[in-house]
């Protein structure tokens, strides 16, 4: 069994990267692997944006991430610094700026240290099974 | 300790990629990850000296690169072949980054726990 750290850097409608990442995660779980966390950075933070409305009949990737997270209990971590710059605001940031929160509650706003600490810990404890994937 | 290789491949200021790569490097180094930073392809334009970023009201990428060693990021490289392809000269690039060939680059990739490409 391998343990995966997933890093998503593109928004849901400008790129297929998010869909590819999700499909990869689903396939990995099905094959018995573990997804330690999915981390959203750069434009990838838009995957957590509840204000994005897909056109009628188009896939709602946010709903799919939510279903995946609920079924597999996988952490969805969104970079707070990258988010603020792109108008994707957590509850705390929105309150501080007197704007509305648009990060879905299933996504956890965190610093980048969250991803790199997991990388450090996993590479020390399970160096042979850790695989990092960027989408 | 994890070994992270960051490959920065885009010109500065045109997109946020150069800034995002540097911020990722600092965050990783801050939690004890061993960071190697490589400039490749158009990313070598980030190394040009005397950048004036005031006209685009952005932080100077060159200045941020030059302080990487202060954050324990000493392994800063650029790919020599890309410098030749872009018709840049070694003298035009900041001395913070050292030249490597593609063989050395391949070795760095093979030795890394994780690779992030921006």
């Amino acid at each position: 069994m391998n343990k995966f750290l997933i890093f998503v850097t593109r928004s849901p409608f400008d790129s297929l990267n998010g869909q590819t990442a999700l499909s990869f995660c689903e396939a990995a779980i099905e094959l018995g692997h573990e997804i330690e966390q999915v981390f959203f950075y750069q434009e990838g933070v838009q995957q957590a944006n509840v204000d994005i409305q897909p056109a009628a009949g188009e896939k709602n990737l946010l709903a799919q991430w939510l279903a995946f997270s609920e079924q597999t209990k996988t952490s969805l971590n969104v970079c707070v610094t990258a988010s603020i710059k792109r108008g994707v605001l957590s509850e705390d940031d929105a309150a501080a700026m007197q704007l509305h929160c648009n990060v879905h509650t299933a996504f956890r706003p965190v610093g980048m240290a969250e991803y790199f600490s997991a990388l450090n810990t996993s590479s020390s404890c399970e160096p042979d099974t850790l695989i990092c994937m960027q989408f | 300790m994890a070994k992270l290789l960051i490959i920065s491949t885009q010109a500065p200021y045109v997109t946020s990629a150069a800034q995002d790569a540097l911020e990722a490097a600092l965050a990783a180094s801050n939690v004890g990850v061993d960071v190697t930073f490589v400039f490749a392809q158009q990313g070598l334009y980030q190394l040009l000296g005397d950048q004036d970023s005031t006209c685009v009201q952005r932080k100077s990428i060159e200045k941020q690169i030059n302080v990487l060693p202060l954050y324990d990021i000493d392994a800063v490289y650029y790919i020599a072949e890309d410098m030749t392809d872009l018709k840049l000269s070694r003298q035009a690039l900041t001395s913070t980054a050292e030249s490597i060939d593609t063989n050395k680059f391949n070795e760095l990739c093979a030795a890394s726990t994780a690779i992030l490409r921006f």
Side-chain angles (χ1 to χ4, degrees):
Chain A
M1 186 191 85
N2 286 309
K3 180 183 272 194
F4 289 91
L5 285 172
I6 306 294
F7 197 84
V8 179
T9 61
R10 297 286 177 263
S11 71
F13 298 106
D14 297 323
S15 161
L16 269 182
N17 284 37
Q19 178 61 65
T20 310
L22 179 59
S23 300
F24 179 89
C25 290
E26 289 168 340
I29 297 269
E30 204 173 304
L31 291 170
H33 301 294
E34 183 189 340
I35 306 292
E36 171 147 336
Q37 67 168 282
V38 184
F39 188 85
F40 299 89
Y41 189 55
Q42 294 187 285
E43 280 298 316
V45 299
Q46 297 292 354
Q47 306 274 349
N49 188 345
V50 294
D51 285 342
I52 292 181
Q53 299 298 320
E58 285 192 3
K59 190 173 281 182
N60 185 334
L61 198 52
L62 176 60
Q64 293 191 318
W65 277 119
L66 301 181
F68 170 75
S69 174
E70 200 175 304
Q71 283 162 18
T72 64
K73 307 298 173 208
T74 302
S75 299
L76 304 177
N77 292 334
V78 57
C79 176
V80 74
T81 312
S83 299
I84 291 173
K85 289 179 191 171
R86 292 166 173 88
V88 182
L89 302 177
S90 66
E91 220 165 288
D92 289 347
D93 292 323
M97 295 171 201
Q98 295 184 310
L99 295 168
H100 80 280
C101 165
N102 54 358
V103 170
H104 192 282
T105 50
F107 290 75
R108 209 157 58 94
V110 297
M112 286 205 89
E114 190 83 11
Y115 177 81
F116 292 120
S117 295
L119 175 66
N120 235 354
T121 306
S122 298
S123 75
S124 304
C125 304
E126 301 150 291
D128 299 330
T129 58
L130 176 68
I131 299 177
C132 304
M133 300 284 292
Q134 180 183 7
F135 292 90
Chain B
M1 184 194 291
K3 284 175 166 289
L4 172 68
L5 174 63
I6 293 182
I7 308 169
S8 191
T9 65
Q10 297 196 32
Y13 315 115
V14 184
T15 69
S16 67
Q19 184 67 41
D20 291 333
L22 288 165
E23 287 178 10
L26 296 187
S29 180
N30 201 32
V31 294
V33 172
D34 182 4
V35 179
T36 298
F37 205 106
V38 174
F39 295 89
Q41 301 166 6
Q42 304 266 320
L44 269 74
Y45 286 122
Q46 296 175 45
L47 298 169
L48 287 172
D50 300 325
Q51 289 175 29
D52 179 5
S53 61
T54 55
C55 59
V56 287
Q57 295 185 304
R58 294 282 187 89
K59 282 192 269 184
S60 166
I61 294 292
E62 178 199 4
K63 284 181 185 163
Q64 293 178 74
I65 291 167
N66 287 337
V67 298
L68 287 176
L70 298 178
Y71 295 91
D72 296 325
I73 304 171
D74 295 306
V76 183
Y77 305 108
Y78 63 85
I79 297 175
E81 286 88 337
D82 291 346
M83 181 183 75
T84 308
D85 289 347
L86 295 170
K87 304 201 184 323
L88 296 171
S89 71
R90 188 166 295 201
Q91 293 72 30
L93 306 178
T94 176
S95 58
T96 303
E98 286 176 43
S99 166
I100 55 169
D101 60 20
T102 46
N103 288 335
K104 170 73 175 171
F105 176 64
N106 291 340
E107 286 172 20
L108 291 173
C109 290
S112 299
T113 316
I115 298 174
L116 293 177
R117 186 177 185 277
F118 293 92

